[in-house]
Amino acid sequence: MEESLPLNWLHLGIGLAVLVVMAAIADWKKSRILAETLGRVASEAQVPLDSGPFNMRVLGRLAPIVPALVVYYGIVPALGVTRAEVQAGTEPQALIVFWTLVRRLSAAYITLIIARTLVAVCDSFNAIYHRTSPASMAKPIKSYVQVITLVVYSVAGVVIVAILLGRSPVVFLSGVGAAAAALMLIFRNTLVSLAASIQITSNDIVRIGDWVEVPHADADGTVIDIDLHQVRVQNWDKTVSTIATPKFISEPFKNWRAMSESGGRRVKRAILIDVNTVRFVTGEEVAELSRRESLRRWLPPGPEETASWAPEPEVGGETGHVPPVTNLEMFRAYVEWYLRAHPDTHKEMPLTVRHLAPGPHGSPVEIYCFSSDTEWLGYEAFQSRLFDHLFAILPEFGLRAFQELSGPDLVQADGSLSPERGEAVPDPAASDPL
């Protein structure tokens, strides 16, 4: 007996050394082994390995299972101990404990690798769906993938604990029902986010690429990501706001998607007219305006329409005459003709030029129309060109835009500046020697 002990320990040492070498070789060749094996299967099944769900990233998650399997199954011949011998207790206690520990750790590690691989497969499906499906912008599945990830890791955690303790996983899973209240308390935010994600997706409330304004989060920009717990919005200043997903159900926000899909973007802006410049016009002034090249294109074209602008004198007490026409009325009609003929206005949407209530800053004339370009730069360019033209055309009708007095206006009112050229006018009293 004394001579056999060193021989047994020598056999154990050699067996463990061989096992370690085999595990090291398997770890070194693991990626190549899996790539060749799965590559052969993929080629026979005509499934793309690079762009498919079982791509190299998934293989990288699965590759560590090779050395783990070598250790799990190799520990039996290395130690020469079987499950029956362990259960019978015929082997030394230290050997049984070591065999049990190695087997359980290897099994737990294999479970973790399988869980991480399943999560990687789900992420690959999400990436493929986002890359190939046009519906991915309106119906993202990232939140559902995150729920599956949570379930996979939760089940894997229960199984790993059961393996390490030598118990059946069914015993632990059956106890989940008793701990449902505690789990709901722990995962309350996750459950609320899941419900919000389902509502957002099913009701098509927010999509990736939508322009949203979220006042309570001070966010104004484009949605770039929607997941289980948060929605990321890239603001126009290139900052990124992160908003909890349930906030899009419980808090008000504005989504500009309908505007983009309608093909028209509203222009609603007013010009303040100085009421002191509003007056009636004569027939000669109408004729003069109609002869101007800059106005001829936009005024009513026919002679009958042009003649209708001229005021008719009152005859006796008759009330059927045409009332006198003001220059502001002509300006409003001109602006409406201009907008209807402009190539960048949306012809199938409301268009009007109307008066608003006058106030201490003049009489507002509001332009209400829609631009056919809904993109921000094109829309702003149209709006800028429109009001540049309107401000420049106001003097043609004898009108002036109202603005509060500034320094040069006060100096001009005092008489020290020339109204025509804005140059200093010499004061006669200053040049008189007397």
Side-chain angles (χ1 to χ4, degrees), residues 281-292 306 309-311 330:
V281 295
T282 62
E284 292 79 6
E285 289 176 319
V286 173
E288 176 65 23
L289 289 174
S290 63
R291 285 195 295 268
R292 297 198 180 189
T306 305
W309 290 98
M330 289 186 65

Side-chain angles (χ1 to χ4, degrees), residues 228-360:
L228 179 62
H229 295 284
Q230 60 191 18
V231 176
R232 298 176 66 223
V233 178
Q234 185 177 47
N235 301 308
W236 300 123
D237 58 359
K238 298 304 179 182
T239 59
V240 176
S241 298
T242 302
I243 306 166
T245 303
K247 293 295 184 181
F248 283 87
I249 304 298
S250 61
E251 300 288 343
F253 73 98
K254 183 185 291 186
N255 191 333
W256 289 81
R257 185 206 314 155
M259 178 273 297
S260 301
E261 294 176 346
S262 68
R265 187 168 177 179
R266 187 182 68 175
V267 176
K268 185 181 179 184
R269 187 175 293 182
I271 296 179
L272 298 175
I273 303 296
D274 189 346
V275 294
N276 294 320
T277 61
V278 180
R279 57 178 176 79
F280 294 112
V281 295
T282 62
E284 292 79 6
E285 289 176 319
V286 173
E288 176 65 23
L289 289 174
S290 63
R291 285 195 295 268
R292 297 198 180 189
E293 185 67 27
S294 60
L295 302 179
R296 185 184 306 157
R297 181 181 177 186
W298 310 110
L299 290 176
E304 297 179 357
E305 291 83 353
T306 305
S308 66
W309 290 98
E312 294 185 2
E314 297 185 10
V315 179
E318 297 179 2
T319 59
H321 69 283
V322 179
V325 179
T326 66
N327 57 349
L328 183 55
E329 184 179 355
M330 289 186 65
F331 174 72
R332 288 191 294 107
Y334 163 77
V335 174
E336 186 169 343
W337 274 79
Y338 178 82
L339 291 174
R340 294 191 184 279
H342 200 287
D344 293 335
T345 54
H346 201 293
K347 305 303 186 294
E348 298 179 0
M349 291 188 174
L351 187 154
T352 185
V353 181
R354 60 173 184 166
H355 269 301
L356 299 180

Side-chain angles (χ1 to χ4, degrees), residues 17 53 55 57 90 133 142 151 181 193 211 223 249 327 330 356 361 370 378 433:
N55 50 36
R57 180 172 178 269
T90 58
S133 176
K142 186 175 182 179
V151 172
S193 299
W211 169 19
V223 177
I249 304 298
N327 57 349
M330 289 186 65
L356 299 180
H361 295 93
F370 286 81

Side-chain angles (χ1 to χ4, degrees), residues 81-392:
V81 178
T82 62
R83 180 183 295 273
E85 293 174 343
V86 171
Q87 293 176 352
T90 58
E91 297 294 330
Q93 189 65 29
L95 202 61
I96 294 175
V97 171
F98 184 73
W99 180 90
T100 304
L101 181 62
V102 172
R103 292 270 293 188
R104 289 181 181 180
L105 289 176
S106 301
Y109 186 56
I110 291 171
T111 303
L112 179 61
I113 292 171
I114 293 175
R116 296 181 73 245
T117 304
L118 291 176
V119 171
V121 171
C122 293
D123 291 339
S124 297
F125 273 114
N126 180 43
I128 294 171
Y129 173 75
H130 182 72
R131 184 174 63 249
T132 59
S133 176
S136 61
M137 302 295 287
K139 305 289 184 181
I141 62 172
K142 186 175 182 179
S143 57
Y144 302 108
V145 170
Q146 290 179 327
V147 172
I148 295 174
T149 301
L150 180 62
V151 172
V152 169
Y153 278 131
S154 299
V155 173
V158 172
V159 172
I160 289 173
V161 173
I163 291 173
L164 294 177
L165 296 179
R167 303 289 181 133
S168 173
V170 179
V171 177
F172 287 91
L173 292 176
S174 61
V176 172
L183 290 175
M184 290 184 64
L185 181 62
I186 296 173
F187 296 106
R188 184 181 67 86
N189 293 333
T190 300
L191 295 175
V192 171
S193 299
L194 175 60
S197 298
I198 294 174
Q199 292 186 54
I200 287 175
T201 303
S202 60
N203 297 327
D204 198 15
I205 297 176
V206 177
R207 301 178 187 172
I208 296 176
D210 283 355
W211 169 19
V212 296
E213 289 185 36
V214 189
H216 68 272
D218 196 21
D220 183 10
T222 305
V223 177
I224 59 175
D225 189 28
I226 301 175
D227 60 24
L228 179 62
H229 295 284
Q230 60 191 18
V231 176
R232 298 176 66 223
V233 178
Q234 185 177 47
N235 301 308
W236 300 123
D237 58 359
K238 298 304 179 182
T239 59
V240 176
S241 298
T242 302
I243 306 166
T245 303
K247 293 295 184 181
F248 283 87
I249 304 298
S250 61
E251 300 288 343
F253 73 98
K254 183 185 291 186
N255 191 333
W256 289 81
R257 185 206 314 155
M259 178 273 297
S260 301
E261 294 176 346
S262 68
R265 187 168 177 179
R266 187 182 68 175
V267 176
K268 185 181 179 184
R269 187 175 293 182
I271 296 179
L272 298 175
I273 303 296
D274 189 346
V275 294
N276 294 320
T277 61
V278 180
R279 57 178 176 79
F280 294 112
V281 295
T282 62
E284 292 79 6
E285 289 176 319
V286 173
E288 176 65 23
L289 289 174
S290 63
R291 285 195 295 268
R292 297 198 180 189
E293 185 67 27
S294 60
L295 302 179
R296 185 184 306 157
R297 181 181 177 186
W298 310 110
L299 290 176
E304 297 179 357
E305 291 83 353
T306 305
S308 66
W309 290 98
E312 294 185 2
E314 297 185 10
V315 179
E318 297 179 2
T319 59
H321 69 283
V322 179
V325 179
T326 66
N327 57 349
L328 183 55
E329 184 179 355
M330 289 186 65
F331 174 72
R332 288 191 294 107
Y334 163 77
V335 174
E336 186 169 343
W337 274 79
Y338 178 82
L339 291 174
R340 294 191 184 279
H342 200 287
D344 293 335
T345 54
H346 201 293
K347 305 303 186 294
E348 298 179 0
M349 291 188 174
L351 187 154
T352 185
V353 181
R354 60 173 184 166
H355 269 301
L356 299 180
H361 295 93
S363 179
V365 174
E366 184 182 74
I367 288 82
Y368 189 100
C369 65
F370 286 81
S371 168
S372 58
D373 192 345
T374 60
E375 295 297 328
W376 178 60
L377 294 178
Y379 165 77
E380 292 294 344
F382 164 73
Q383 208 172 205
S384 299
R385 289 194 302 267
L386 171 61
F387 281 90
D388 288 347
H389 177 81
L390 296 184
F391 278 118

